[in-house]
Amino acid sequence: MRILLSGLQWMIFMIAGAIAAPIAIADLYNLTPVETAELIHSTLIALGIAGFLQGLIGHKLPIHEGPAGLWWSIFTIYASLVGVLFTSHLAALQALGGGMMMSGGLFILLSLFKLMDRIARLFTPTVTFIYLLLLILQLSGSFMKGMMGITSSRTMLDGKVLLLSVIVVCITFWLGNSRMLVLQRFSVIISIFFGWLLFAICGNMPAIPQADTIFKLPEIFPFGRPHFDIGTIATACLLTLLLITNAIASIRLMETVMKQKGAVDHQRYLRAGYTSGISHFICGCLGAIGSVPISGAAGFVEQTGMRERKPFLIGCSLVIGISLLPPMMNIIAAIPAPIGYAVTFVIFVKMVGLSLKELQSVIHQERTLIVSGVSLLVGVGLMFMPASATIHLSPIVVAILNNGLICGSLLAIILEQGLIWKGKHGTKHRH
């Protein structure tokens, strides 16, 4: 019973974190309600399969998959290119499907040539610290807006929603620090249900839409056959390298939480690469949003203390099962967004502590201070840059420059490796 409840908690956490991306993208592409439901349906099934495969044969850690922020950016950029590069929204979605399938092939090739391990070595404690801090800072604005009830259609702060969100945050903190192990383990699911009840009492619950059918399988190529062109292939190649950066950071962080740094699994990154390739191919076939292992899983494990793999695999199986049942899917999708933001806020507070713990294993403090200072200033600075400033550049450059997390992390890797190289060659010359 405990394992099943743990799996249910994983399922709700996964769905709550994944539901926003397909809804936002459907709005960008002017999809009909039926097409929007199809996109949510296919994305959740793809994420469930990706998480299950990673947990079973990939990295074998309890890290759920979520819509990759980088793919989200590319979807947004391609929507703005309709009428310029693409004849219609469907043509853009067909190109994105082809791009995801190309990305899947590249993941497998990089793993085949054992390049995943080499990339993983670049993720020193300094780089992991910078990546995590930038991730937290980048998402903090979304959390605060969500908890205040601010959306694209409502730009004014909603006092009632903010108050209810703060109550959910306090409950989640209290449960997570409870001396009762049961309350601590199920703090996320209890907080979500309690928040749901609060919002229902206060009349802030969205209506649950009626489902047309009880059971539904995902459609293959729902937007038409995938399209391949030079621009999309180039975008997919660079995007894959950046996604590897995201994935390795998430795996490294979970290894720290699971206390597995002593017994290093050298094949973990290769297996994760192969599995990511399969997952991206599935996303391309189902017309879903490309996935990536989510760093927030480490905060979730730290909050609940659930380090076992079995509940996680059950959670992924439940996500797949629920996605095939539209009536159940509609109920889960009706969880008020501020509740999800409030619970995730607490989880990311835990991640601030995890990022600072990475600095404890740093040997060259002076080098870390320089790399951290430059990378954080550039990364955070780019987060404040208006999207319109780069609109005249190519899609992939726009996707990178508008992502302070990726720019800051890449700069941290380049700077640290440059300083390490300089230190080694400087020592040789002195001798």
Side-chain angles (χ1 to χ4, degrees):
M1 186 64 182
R2 180 182 66 81
I3 291 173
L4 190 62
L5 273 173
S6 301
L8 187 66
Q9 183 168 242
W10 266 113
M11 180 201 79
I12 291 172
F13 178 61
M14 284 186 243
I15 292 174
I19 205 88
I23 290 170
I25 286 166
D27 184 52
L28 278 172
Y29 284 83
N30 301 321
L31 299 184
T32 64
V34 174
E35 288 171 332
T36 302
E38 185 64 42
L39 183 62
I40 296 168
H41 178 220
S42 60
T43 297
L44 287 173
I45 285 178
L47 295 180
I49 293 169
F52 186 84
L53 290 175
Q54 286 286 11
L56 192 68
I57 59 171
H59 49 61
K60 297 184 179 179
L61 292 167
I63 309 172
H64 68 292
E65 297 271 323
L70 282 162
W71 275 118
W72 195 341
S73 300
I74 294 295
F75 268 85
T76 306
I77 293 158
Y78 272 41
S80 68
L81 295 174
V82 172
V84 181
L85 287 180
F86 304 105
T87 53
S88 66
H89 285 106
L90 281 180
L93 289 168
Q94 286 163 10
L96 286 161
M100 269 179 276
M101 293 174 84
M102 279 297 305
S103 182
L106 194 58
F107 262 114
I108 291 168
L109 277 174
L110 288 169
S111 302
L112 197 63
F113 289 104
K114 303 194 180 217
L115 293 173
M116 291 285 287
D117 277 349
R118 291 188 183 182
I119 297 168
R121 286 190 205 116
L122 301 174
F123 277 79
T124 60
T126 302
V127 173
T128 308
F129 159 72
I130 291 162
Y131 171 85
L132 282 175
L133 207 55
L134 285 172
L135 176 68
I136 293 156
L137 292 170
Q138 183 163 291
L139 293 175
S140 61
S142 301
F143 295 154
M144 292 311 298
K145 283 179 187 174
M147 287 163 59
M148 291 175 180
I150 297 169
T151 62
S152 55
S153 57
R154 183 190 171 91
T155 54
M156 298 289 285
L157 184 149
D158 189 324
K160 187 164 69 170
V161 169
L162 177 59
L163 178 62
L164 294 173
S165 298
V166 170
I167 292 169
V168 173
V169 166
C170 294
I171 290 165
T172 312
F173 268 122
W174 176 72
L175 290 170
N177 295 309
S178 172
R179 290 182 181 179
M180 289 179 68
L181 190 61
V182 176
L183 292 179
Q184 191 183 64
R185 274 181 170 272
F186 301 110
S187 57
V188 170
I189 197 169
I190 294 168
S191 299
I192 287 172
F193 277 117
F194 192 83
W196 210 342
L197 187 66
L198 275 178
F199 273 71
I201 292 166
C202 296
N204 280 66
M205 277 291 293
I208 299 172
Q210 290 293 314
D212 298 329
T213 179
I214 294 171
F215 180 83
K216 190 179 182 187
L217 285 169
E219 192 182 334
I220 305 295
F221 305 137
F223 306 113
R225 287 187 177 276
H227 179 68
F228 302 90
D229 60 55
I230 296 298
T232 305
I233 291 167
T235 300
C237 288
L238 187 51
L239 207 64
T240 303
L241 296 173
L242 300 176
L243 287 169
I244 288 169
T245 305
N246 268 34
I248 290 171
S250 298
I251 294 168
R252 272 281 160 92
L253 182 60
M254 187 58 83
E255 283 178 333
T256 307
V257 172
M258 304 282 281
K259 309 291 187 287
Q260 289 188 3
K261 285 222 165 173
V264 178
D265 182 352
H266 293 289
Q267 296 297 311
R268 174 165 284 155
Y269 298 103
L270 294 179
R271 293 196 310 268
Y274 284 122
T275 312
S276 288
I278 296 165
S279 303
H280 268 73
F281 197 80
I282 291 168
C283 287
C285 289
L286 298 183
I289 303 158
S291 66
V292 72
I294 299 296
S295 301
F300 177 83
V301 169
E302 191 83 345
Q303 167 75 12
T304 60
M306 290 196 314
R307 289 174 167 79
E308 304 97 325
R309 194 158 50 121
K310 195 173 180 181
F312 169 71
L313 293 173
I314 290 170
C316 291
S317 304
L318 288 171
V319 168
I320 298 165
I322 288 289
S323 301
L324 297 172
L325 304 169
M328 293 294 291
M329 198 61 252
N330 289 350
I331 293 167
I332 297 289
I335 295 173
I339 296 173
Y341 284 116
V343 172
T344 312
F345 178 88
V346 177
I347 286 163
F348 271 78
V349 167
K350 297 273 183 185
M351 287 183 67
V352 174
L354 291 172
S355 69
L356 294 172
K357 281 178 187 173
E358 286 292 321
L359 294 178
Q360 292 174 0
S361 54
V362 165
I363 298 167
H364 302 281
Q365 290 187 352
E366 192 61 38
R367 185 170 70 209
T368 296
L369 291 173
I370 293 167
V371 173
S372 300
V374 174
S375 304
L376 289 171
L377 274 172
V378 171
V380 175
L382 287 172
M383 291 176 196
F384 289 99
M385 185 176 69
S388 56
T390 56
I391 202 162
H392 61 289
L393 301 171
S394 70
I396 190 63
V397 175
V398 174
I400 295 168
L401 284 180
N402 283 349
N403 195 320
L405 168 66
I406 290 299
C407 277
S409 301
L410 288 175
L411 184 59
I413 291 169
I414 293 164
L415 275 175
E416 187 173 50
Q417 292 303 312
L419 289 172
I420 289 169
W421 182 85
K422 186 184 173 186
K424 283 180 182 175
H425 284 261
T427 308
K428 280 181 185 175
H429 287 307
R430 280 198 295 273
H431 288 297

